[in-house]
Amino acid sequence: MANDGVVGLVYDARMCAHQNESNSEHPERPERISSIYQCLKSAGIVARCVKVEAREATDEELRSVHTESHVELMKAVSSRTYGRHGRKGIAKRYNSIYFNEGSSESALLAAGSVIEVSDQVAQGKLKAGAAIVRPPGHHAEADAAMGFCLFNNVAIAAHLLVHKKKQLGVQKLLIVDWDVHHGNGTQHMFWSDPQVLYFSVHRFDDGSFYPAGDEGNYDHVGVGKGAGYNINVPWPHGQFGDADYLAVWEHVLMPVARKYNPYMVLISAGFDSAEGDPLGECRVTPTAYFKMTKQLMEIAEGRVVIALEGGYNLTSISNSYLACMHALLGDVFLENPTHLNNLLAPTLPLIEKVQNELQKYWPVLSINQKELATVDIERELLAEKEEIQLKPEVEYSVSEEMPITDLIELLAKLSTDGHVATDGTEALLDSYNQPNSPQGTQPENLDAATSSVPDLPGGKDPTNLKVGPEIIFSETGNINLLDKDFEEHTPEIEMGQTAQGSNDIIHNSSAMLDYNLLEDISSKGGGEGARKAALLNMEETAKPESSKEVMCQSVDAMFPSSTTNGVDNIQDSHKFATKVGHSSEIVHTSSAVSREEQVLATREGTENSYVWYACYGSNMWLPRFMCYIQGGQVEGMVDCCIGCRDPSPPLASLWLTIPNRLFFGRNYSYTWGIGGVAFIDPLPEGDVKTHVRAYKITLEQFKDIFHQENCTEGVPNQEFPVDANLIQSLKNGLPATSYTIFEDGWYGTIIYLGDQDGLPILSFTCSLDDMAKFRSGDLDVHGPSAAYEQAIVRGLIENMDLSKEQAKDYIVGSRCPNPTPGM
């Protein structure tokens, strides 16, 4: 007989034994569940719930979805048979996994606890239930651990209820996965099963967000009898919040769920979509989690079980889980309506795509789609309201007939005032697109969020750069230089792969500065070519009364001369607007240019203050490197860079080959999240060839970047011992060609790699002590995340003679350092 008022809760502190021995700050850490439990206890929730005893899952239960070999390995991995080094070796087989002596027991308890509370709800002993468990489960595949997950807890419980315990009458079951990452493992396990409807709303980012690939896209709906029973709602980026999730509930999930009419609902409750989570970067608040849970309780007669998946901000996951418990208990939740009306622009078009894909399986979505018209009107009104709020105090209008000379004057005025132009910007963009302009026509759809940033007036100089010489160390230690021609390449311009500028550069928090354009310009040089093209454009479109002298002065103001090839182009690119958000918004960056020009003016005659900074990881891609210079982040980064005190771009760059082995170590970083990051061996090896891109920057910028790589916050106030004396000592090999400054820093050791044009080539990497630990297994050697790898690939294919496949092969072949002889 059902107990209508009882909610069960399972928690066991033994699941805290699973922890990363190499990194106590790993995001999937024991405090995740202990903080949730303490929050519920303090709020009086624990006392109101029935305690469900945790138990270990049996082999038979685990084998319902996992292979026997996987079950045996996960059970044995914490035993003395493997030991610490053995466990590290096994972890390297998987993506984003660690093991310790407590891993096996914790995983067995997590799976068994979800099974137990689900059984009791299905039997009617409990009205609803919740499991505070770890490690999570939805990434775990049938034969592999993955993404912090060892066993697929929810999938095991679901499969048992539907297929192994038929006496309970669970003929249909709904799994709702609101973790910010796609539940690849769960999807695979029910891919052709119509008795389990799997629904996932997650970040997709065009397939680049973890776990990466196209399987989380909306067109993956299942196969065979299971076609239509797999629903994915893939967010194109972060920042989606309450209104967006609730819109998905209203227009996709709930209509289908009511029609499906499941006996029970299991929630893969990952709270990394919560506001403040360092990995998810979305904005869901406890209010939305309460509402989403409450709506799911309207089906299946309220038989709902919540099982913890991800979530890595302790405050966010605790408050979010608390809100869900209030829903299960039937409480009236004190709502915060702050974000409920902030529907992001991509939400409704995405919902419509999902509906179109699923209509043939779920006709109810065809009916529901009509409701989107009303919502779309409301969204447009909100967008207009938001646009008005974003307008600056001073506005500038640009008429369609504005001559280029007046446009120059307007840009000069904007450069002085530092304000944003918000009216008539289509005319501004059109003025760049004169019929005789070498750059051709602009894209027709300038309103799309992924539209290209307009070229400079007059286009780009097609002159190819001659990339700097390649460094090859001979057996004697001498340096040989080989010239290498650069193959012209025009990178695609995508808003999703841009870098966010700091406040000094962009005067709108929603803006994203497109550094792909900057990359293209800087790689081709041609500042004088752009100047001549602009002058030609002006002569063809100017008013009759305009003099050639005035036009030349205007163009000179736009294209300041520079003695260094490519620098003027990088600066010039900052003088033009970057299209963001609505077509009527332009972000002007002239204030940053003025600052850079002032800095450059003070640099004249100080050539000895420059160095070549050699990058071997994601910084080989210029947009990523500019995050270190000017602040911000590119697609895939989970944290922003603070930038340098001097935001001026590099004067030049060149590609080199060095004999220091590249590999990927650690399994998580604050900048890129899950996955390894690039290191080079501090000591050279004979026939090793590692690609590096060297940027010509000031010594002060090098020190600021060095600080950002090794400290978590703040621009450095102190002076590091990185000066001409240290560099000379490194050159002389006294005491060696490397020097460790940050003993505990991941990249605390500076390396001297040689000279170019009389300037030292410097880089930084791990210490010799850490290198020994990587070789021995005491520090994890781990492949890069998909996003981090993509940044490296882009750097290689956009600037070298490598295809995408060659670039990926290069990365794959660089994942492990050679073992120390005798080990």
Side-chain angles (χ1 to χ4, degrees), residues 191-202:
W191 187 236
S192 59
D193 189 347
Q195 290 186 259
V196 176
L197 173 60
Y198 176 66
F199 169 89
S200 177
V201 55
H202 50 269

Side-chain angles (χ1 to χ4, degrees), residues 223-234:
V223 295
K225 293 182 179 180
Y229 293 92
N230 192 92
I231 301 176
N232 287 316
V233 180

Side-chain angles (χ1 to χ4, degrees), residues 387-635:
E387 181 181 348
I388 293 172
Q389 291 174 343
L390 288 174
K391 288 184 179 181
E393 295 178 1
V394 180
E395 302 175 8
Y396 300 93
S397 296
V398 185
S399 67
E400 293 184 0
E401 291 78 27
M402 173 170 283
I404 192 71
T405 48
D406 290 354
L407 176 61
I408 299 300
E409 294 176 9
L410 174 59
L411 289 175
K413 182 174 180 61
L414 287 171
S415 177
T416 302
D417 295 343
H419 286 294
V420 181
T422 59
D423 280 348
T425 55
E426 290 187 13
L428 175 65
L429 297 176
D430 287 342
S431 68
Y432 289 164
N433 187 26
Q434 301 297 332
N436 297 318
S437 178
Q439 87 272 18
T441 59
Q442 296 295 335
E444 294 180 2
N445 183 14
L446 289 175
D447 292 327
T450 57
S451 64
S452 299
V453 177
D455 288 336
L456 295 177
K460 307 165 189 173
D461 188 352
T463 306
N464 288 349
L465 264 184
K466 189 82 167 179
V467 174
E470 178 179 26
I471 292 184
I472 298 179
F473 284 76
S474 66
E475 294 181 358
T476 60
N478 296 325
I479 300 177
N480 301 317
L481 302 180
L482 294 177
D483 284 342
K484 181 179 180 67
D485 289 331
F486 178 79
E487 180 179 339
E488 183 179 355
H489 178 75
T490 304
E492 295 180 1
I493 299 176
E494 301 176 7
M495 289 295 290
Q497 296 169 330
T498 57
Q500 293 180 349
S502 64
N503 292 333
D504 290 333
I505 299 173
I506 292 183
H507 308 289
N508 186 313
S509 60
S510 65
M512 298 188 78
L513 183 60
D514 196 323
Y515 280 111
N516 286 314
L517 176 62
L518 182 151
E519 170 83 80
D520 197 25
I521 296 169
S522 66
S523 66
K524 294 180 177 62
E528 182 60 23
R531 178 187 181 279
K532 292 178 179 178
L535 182 58
L536 177 62
N537 192 330
M538 182 179 293
E539 290 174 352
E540 294 173 344
T541 58
K543 296 176 181 180
E545 62 271 20
S546 300
S547 69
K548 180 70 173 287
E549 180 180 358
V550 172
M551 287 188 285
C552 288
Q553 292 173 353
S554 299
V555 172
D556 288 339
M558 294 177 66
F559 297 92
S561 60
S562 173
T563 59
T564 305
N565 190 18
V567 179
D568 51 339
N569 291 301
I570 297 178
Q571 293 172 319
D572 295 341
S573 69
H574 291 316
K575 291 192 173 184
F576 295 92
T578 299
K579 180 181 178 297
V580 296
H582 305 294
S583 61
S584 60
E585 294 179 13
I586 284 188
V587 178
H588 196 275
T589 58
S590 58
S591 60
V593 176
S594 300
R595 181 181 177 187
E596 291 170 8
E597 290 174 344
Q598 292 172 4
V599 172
L600 280 175
T602 64
R603 291 179 175 181
E604 296 180 1
T606 60
E607 185 70 13
N608 60 356
S609 67
Y610 288 93
V611 298
W612 293 99
Y613 166 41
C615 308
Y616 46 83
S618 60
N619 284 342
M620 292 190 292
W621 185 35
L622 180 60
R624 163 67 180 104
F625 175 71
M626 290 303 295
C627 297
Y628 272 129
I629 296 294
Q630 297 181 339
Q633 65 191 102
V634 293
E635 188 66 32

